[in-house]
Amino acid sequence: MSTDGASTNGHASKAEMDPNQNGDENKKTYHKQATGLAWETVQAHSKENDLKLYGSCFCPFVHRVWISLEHKGLDYEYVEVDVYRKPKLLLDINPRGLVPALRHGEWGCYESTVLMEYLEDLNEGRPLLPKDPKLRAHSRLWSDHINRHIIPIFYRYLQAQEAKDQAEYAKELTEQIAKLVSAADEQGPFFLAGDHMSFVDVQMAPWVIRLEKVLTPYKGWPNPEPGSRWEKWVRAIEDAEPVKNTTSTDQLYLDSYERYAENRPNTSQVREAINSGKGLP
Ligand SMILES: N[C@@H](CCC(=O)N[C@@H](CS)C(=O)NCC(=O)O)C(=O)O
């Protein structure tokens, strides 16, 4: 596959246009192949394997599972799918047609948090959940906070077209992140004490990356305050090898999220859920 083809640079020729472009070839669309270090990781994991991650390179939910696989150092195969054209091999695992999906031998499953738990339960490679039951519950509690209170507001804010709404959602996102940070170990740099990434860090990492690479350019989301605990955490996440090795170059995120930033029709199930006030898929 070429790295600079029409379907990988965010533009597409008329014949290849995606539904979210709504017939306008000048609109950027989602990338269909990772770039930068993430592309190197795809290539290093292109060989047939019993454990397969079906993913789309721009997707933050996929990013979670991918970071987990890299953190654990498991053998796996990364399979890129065009999630809006829903190949049968994806629908066979996930009738909802969402990525990430995982196949392990004959068995398949989906939902990013469930998949992270599954990989944890394999007890192979570096764990992400701590041993202590109370710390495990603490990790699950704050993962739930991310899923319920941070991710929906991230999309609501990104899709908001009115300045008034953007200001309201920026405030709410700031408050929800502040709650998460206040639950983190005081020193860090990660969520739990000690110098290692764990479950909550991986749950949050894809959105840490997209705050800077998507929400800042499109909606003016501010950089973390210098010297703050939040800044320390953001830098630790960005510098973690499993995160770096699964992150593409900035342009991929800029192009892939233009449809959300413009709240364009035919973008995704996530966009529809936000606009109709329903829970995320
Ligand atoms: N709750 C799911 C959400 C996954 C999800 O929304 N994935 C998006 C891509 S980022 C998707 O598959 N969209 C397909 C569609 O909108 O049809 C999870 O945590 O895995």
Side-chain angles (χ1 to χ4, degrees):
M1 246 193 274
S2 85
T3 50
D4 58 1
S7 60
T8 60
N9 67 3
H11 282 291
S13 68
K14 263 218 162 71
E16 291 175 312
M17 259 192 283
D18 293 320
N20 79 79
Q21 293 172 291
N22 299 297
D24 183 348
E25 62 192 340
N26 293 315
K27 293 292 183 194
K28 299 276 175 62
T29 187
Y30 59 96
H31 284 224
K32 296 163 185 83
Q33 183 179 293
T35 60
L37 285 179
W39 174 237
E40 288 178 26
T41 304
V42 170
Q43 287 175 298
H45 291 273
S46 58
K47 273 221 305 280
E48 162 73 28
N49 197 290
D50 206 35
L51 182 61
K52 291 180 176 47
L53 171 62
Y54 293 102
S56 300
C57 55
F58 59 84
C59 174
F61 301 96
V62 169
H63 204 174
R64 282 175 161 174
V65 181
W66 202 8
I67 294 169
S68 306
L69 286 163
E70 284 291 310
H71 171 88
K72 290 177 175 297
L74 300 182
D75 269 349
Y76 69 93
E77 179 184 351
Y78 178 94
V79 183
E80 181 77 24
V81 297
D82 183 343
V83 72
Y84 304 109
R85 291 191 169 86
K86 309 204 185 298
K88 184 172 178 309
L89 51 81
L90 173 64
L91 291 170
D92 284 348
I93 305 171
N94 184 358
R96 296 183 200 165
L98 301 168
V99 287
L102 200 74
R103 187 171 274 292
H104 203 178
E106 292 300 303
W107 177 86
C109 196
Y110 50 93
E111 277 300 318
S112 58
T113 304
V114 174
L115 297 181
M116 281 181 62
E117 295 259 7
Y118 173 71
L119 294 176
E120 201 57 22
D121 288 344
L122 292 177
N123 285 318
E124 285 172 33
R126 279 195 293 172
L128 281 167
L129 280 168
K131 282 212 166 65
D132 174 49
K134 295 188 178 69
L135 275 182
R136 290 168 83 88
H138 178 66
S139 300
R140 290 185 170 116
L141 180 67
W142 289 98
S143 293
D144 182 65
H145 176 83
I146 295 168
N147 286 324
R148 279 206 285 165
H149 301 297
I150 293 183
I151 297 173
I153 194 70
F154 169 91
Y155 287 102
R156 199 171 294 289
Y157 179 18
L158 180 59
Q159 288 174 217
Q161 302 301 301
E162 304 294 330
K164 183 177 83 40
D165 294 337
Q166 289 169 17
E168 182 189 329
Y169 301 144
K171 183 168 171 285
E172 194 179 333
L173 183 57
T174 306
E175 287 168 3
Q176 297 298 352
I177 289 176
K179 282 188 201 166
L180 178 65
V181 173
S182 70
D185 178 72
E186 257 176 50
Q187 294 307 315
F190 290 105
F191 184 74
L192 295 179
D195 193 16
H196 60 274
M197 200 163 66
S198 70
F199 203 85
V200 176
D201 303 299
V202 180
Q203 285 265 304
M204 187 62 189
W207 283 274
V208 165
I209 298 293
R210 286 156 184 75
L211 285 173
E212 191 202 306
K213 296 189 192 301
V214 176
L215 220 38
T216 298
Y218 281 122
K219 302 284 141 120
W221 174 255
N223 290 327
E225 200 181 310
S228 63
R229 176 67 181 89
W230 171 233
E231 188 201 40
K232 198 176 182 184
W233 192 14
V234 166
R235 301 296 165 238
I237 286 176
E238 286 172 342
D239 289 345
E241 290 296 316
V243 176
K244 285 202 281 195
N245 291 339
T246 52
T247 300
S248 287
T249 49
D250 292 2
Q251 197 64 42
L252 179 143
Y253 301 102
L254 262 187
D255 293 344
S256 301
Y257 283 87
E258 187 190 76
R259 60 205 164 108
Y260 281 103
E262 295 181 353
N263 198 14
R264 295 207 299 257
N266 305 318
T267 279
S268 71
Q269 295 183 39
V270 168
R271 183 236 176 212
E272 299 308 321
I274 292 292
N275 287 345
S276 63
K278 293 198 188 119
L280 289 185

